[in-house]
Amino acid sequence: MKFQNLLAHQKSFSLAMKIFNITKSFPKEEMYSLTDQIRRSSRIVPVNIAEAYRKRDYPKHFYSKLTDSDAENSETQVWLEFALKCNYINENTHNELLNESNEVGKLINYMILNAQKFGVSI
């Protein structure tokens, strides 16, 4: 199986793309702060999932990359909260993105708790 087939990768990639498109409307003064930070944290989630899957022959690396991915997903949630409080996104958009992020977190945790299903030798 390719990492692109992992549901966690697909959902996190989709979320990162939604965030990218939404942040296009953020004010220019946020370009090197909030916009950059939320794009980076959301993009690193699927990247780390891909790296974890490729490192599945090495359990410690697999877990490390997935916990990094989970942490970046949490960081993305904080940036979404800032975007809401700064009125760059409305509450409906915030809730939709937050729900998707929570789903990604559950999928990452599923991978961590069921590593053997992803080819990790325990």
Side-chain angles (χ1 to χ4, degrees):
M1 184 165 89
K2 300 185 306 183
F3 70 83
Q4 292 93 336
N5 294 337
L6 296 169
L7 188 57
H9 175 79
Q10 293 170 356
K11 297 265 185 182
S12 61
F13 190 90
S14 174
L15 177 59
M17 289 307 300
K18 285 179 184 177
I19 288 171
F20 171 75
N21 286 316
I22 288 168
T23 58
K24 287 180 182 180
S25 67
F26 284 12
K28 292 291 181 207
E29 65 264 16
E30 291 287 5
M31 179 61 88
Y32 300 106
S33 52
L34 179 58
T35 302
D36 185 53
Q37 292 293 338
I38 196 169
R39 286 178 178 178
R40 285 177 188 233
S41 66
S42 66
R43 287 175 176 170
I44 200 68
V45 176
V47 169
N48 279 338
I49 291 168
E51 288 184 29
Y53 189 69
R54 290 287 185 216
K55 300 261 185 169
R56 64 191 184 277
D57 288 339
Y58 309 96
K60 288 182 182 180
H61 290 289
F62 179 82
Y63 293 118
S64 176
K65 287 295 178 184
L66 287 178
T67 57
D68 288 348
S69 188
D70 192 44
E72 292 293 338
N73 190 49
S74 293
E75 180 181 331
T76 299
Q77 292 181 1
V78 174
W79 293 124
L80 287 170
E81 189 173 354
F82 275 110
L84 174 65
K85 297 299 182 185
C86 293
N87 295 314
Y88 300 151
I89 59 175
N90 63 38
E91 195 157 343
N92 287 338
T93 300
H94 174 262
N95 290 339
E96 176 187 323
L97 297 173
L98 188 61
N99 287 337
E100 289 183 39
S101 179
N102 285 331
E103 184 178 357
V104 167
K106 289 175 184 177
L107 291 168
I108 292 168
N109 284 320
Y110 179 84
M111 290 180 73
I112 291 169
L113 296 173
N114 297 280
Q116 69 282 358
K117 291 183 179 182
F118 298 93
V120 176
S121 301
I122 299 176

